C-alpha cells in the first residue's frame, strides 16, 4: 500500500518505515503495547506483550526508528476496510452520521510518540509522523482521514493548522477516557501549512517551534 513512501527520514536521523514482519514488527508491537496497554490502559494487557488486533491484518503499520529503537508509531487503514470508528468507537458518532468510505478515505489509529527523560515528546519523531499523514494521503489520493483523540490533543492539532473537522461532541469511552471523533479534510489544507510541515522535517531549525505536548490517538 505504501508505494514510494517506504522510508521517510528527518535531518536528525529519525526514519519512518513501513513495517512488514520480522524483528522490527515485533519491536513496533511491543512499543504499542507499552504505550496503549501498560501506560494508558486503553486496551487490556496481552500475554505476549504485543499490541496486535484484527486491523493490523489489512492496514499499513508504520514506525519511527532512531537506529534500531522504536520511538513512534501510526497505523493507516484504507477506506475499503472496516474502521475502528465503525465498531469500537461507534458511540462517538452522532445519530445519522455517515462516514466517507472507499478509496478517498482512511483511518488513523495507534498514533504514539516516545517521550524523553523529562517526559517531553520527542519532537523530531512527532513531526515525521505528522508529515507522514500528509504524504500517505497524497500518495493514495485520500481526502478524508478519520481518527479518535482526547479533546486537548484535538485542540493542539487545530492550533497547528491541520485541516481538522469535529464529528459530534467529546464523550467518555469504556474506561472513562473522554475522546473526540474527528477527521482531516486534506482538500482544505492551506498551502502555507503544508510548506511548514515539510520544512519541519527537512529543515527543522528554520521551522517555527511548537510545544512539546504529548498526544496519543486510539
Amino acid at each position: 500500500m505504501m508505494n514510494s513512501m517506504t522510508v521517510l527520514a528527518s535531518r536528525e536521523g529519525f526514519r519512518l518505515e513501513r513495517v512488514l514482519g520480522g524483528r522490527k514488527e515485533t519491536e513496533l508491537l511491543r512499543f504499542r503495547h507499552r504505550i496503549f496497554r501498560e501506560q494508558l490502559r486503553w486496551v487490556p494487557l496481552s500475554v505476549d506483550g504485543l499490541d496486535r488486533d484484527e486491523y493490523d491484518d489489512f492496514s499499513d503499520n508504520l514506525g519511527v526508528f532512531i537506529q534500531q529503537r522504536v520511538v513512534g508509531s501510526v497505523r493507516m487503514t484504507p477506506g475499503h476496510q472496516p474502521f475502528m470508528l465503525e465498531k469500537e468507537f461507534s458511540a462517538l458518532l452522532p445519530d445519522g452520521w455517515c462516514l466517507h468510505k472507499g478509496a478517498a478515505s482512511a483511518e488513523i489509529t495507534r498514533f504514539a510518540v516516545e517521550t524523553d527523560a523529562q517526559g517531553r515528546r520527542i519532537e523530531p519523531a512527532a513531526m515525521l509522523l505528522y508529515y507522514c499523514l500528509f504524504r500517505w494521503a497524497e500518495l493514495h489520493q485520500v481526502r478524508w482521514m478519520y481518527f479518535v483523540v482526547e479533546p486537548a490533543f484535538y485542540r493542539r492539532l487545530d492550533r497547528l493548522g491541520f485541516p481538522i473537522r469535529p464529528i459530534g461532541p467529546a464523550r467518555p469511552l469504556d474506561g472513562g477516557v473522554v475522546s473526540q471523533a474527528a477527521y482531516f479534510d486534506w482538500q482544505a489544507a492551506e498551502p502555507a501549512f503544508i510548506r511548514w510541515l515539510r520544512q519541519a522535517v527537512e529543515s527543522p531549525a528554520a521551522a517555527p517551534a511548537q510545544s512539546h505536548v504529548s498526544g496519543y490517538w486510539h
Side-chain angles (χ1 to χ4, degrees):
M1 299 176 191
M2 191 103 165
N3 299 329
S4 60
M5 206 184 79
T6 303
V7 176
L8 287 176
S10 71
R11 286 284 183 90
E12 296 90 344
F14 293 85
R15 289 165 56 86
L16 183 140
E17 304 178 19
R18 183 184 179 196
V19 178
L20 294 167
R23 186 178 60 80
K24 285 189 174 180
E25 181 180 79
T26 300
E27 292 303 315
L28 179 67
L29 297 179
R30 185 173 289 125
F31 169 81
R32 283 179 15 186
H33 189 280
R34 179 166 58 82
I35 297 296
F36 292 101
R37 297 178 185 246
E38 297 174 28
Q39 294 181 10
L40 298 173
R41 298 189 178 276
W42 288 353
V43 190
L45 295 177
S46 175
V47 174
D48 61 6
L50 305 178
D51 174 58
R52 191 197 312 272
D53 61 30
E54 64 269 27
Y55 298 95
D56 291 310
D57 295 336
F58 45 75
S59 301
D60 273 350
N61 274 311
L62 314 176
V64 177
F65 298 83
I66 183 68
Q67 297 179 348
Q68 300 302 313
R69 178 188 169 206
V70 180
V71 293
S73 72
V74 67
R75 182 170 66 187
M76 305 286 206
T77 302
H80 63 278
Q81 298 286 359
F83 288 171
M84 294 187 77
L85 193 49
E86 296 174 285
K87 185 179 177 182
E88 286 83 353
F89 306 138
S90 61
L92 298 176
L93 297 176
D95 291 340
W97 179 273
C98 293
L99 298 172
H100 294 284
K101 294 287 291 186
S105 69
E107 184 181 49
I108 307 164
T109 54
R110 293 304 193 262
F111 184 106
V113 181
E114 184 65 278
T115 54
D116 61 19
Q118 287 72 45
R120 298 178 303 178
R121 189 183 56 174
I122 299 176
E123 199 68 11
M127 297 314 302
L128 198 54
L129 283 172
Y130 287 157
Y131 185 47
C132 157
L133 303 179
F134 163 69
R135 289 289 292 129
W136 197 95
E138 183 180 52
L139 286 168
H140 295 276
Q141 298 182 317
V142 166
R143 174 178 177 178
W144 299 284
M145 273 186 169
Y146 296 95
F147 53 92
V148 173
V149 292
E150 293 178 271
F153 199 59
Y154 174 95
R155 293 190 293 270
R156 171 181 163 76
L157 293 169
D158 188 40
R159 289 195 303 269
L160 286 176
F162 278 91
I164 192 170
R165 304 289 185 267
I167 303 175
R171 295 175 179 169
L173 293 173
D174 292 342
V177 181
V178 177
S179 302
Q180 171 91 52
Y183 65 97
F184 296 137
D185 181 354
W186 288 109
Q187 195 172 89
E190 294 290 340
F193 166 73
I194 300 302
R195 287 195 298 272
W196 168 79
L197 195 58
R198 183 177 289 112
Q199 186 181 49
V201 172
E202 298 174 353
S203 302
Q210 301 295 337
S211 63
H212 294 258
V213 177
S214 298
Y216 307 99
W217 309 9
H218 295 267

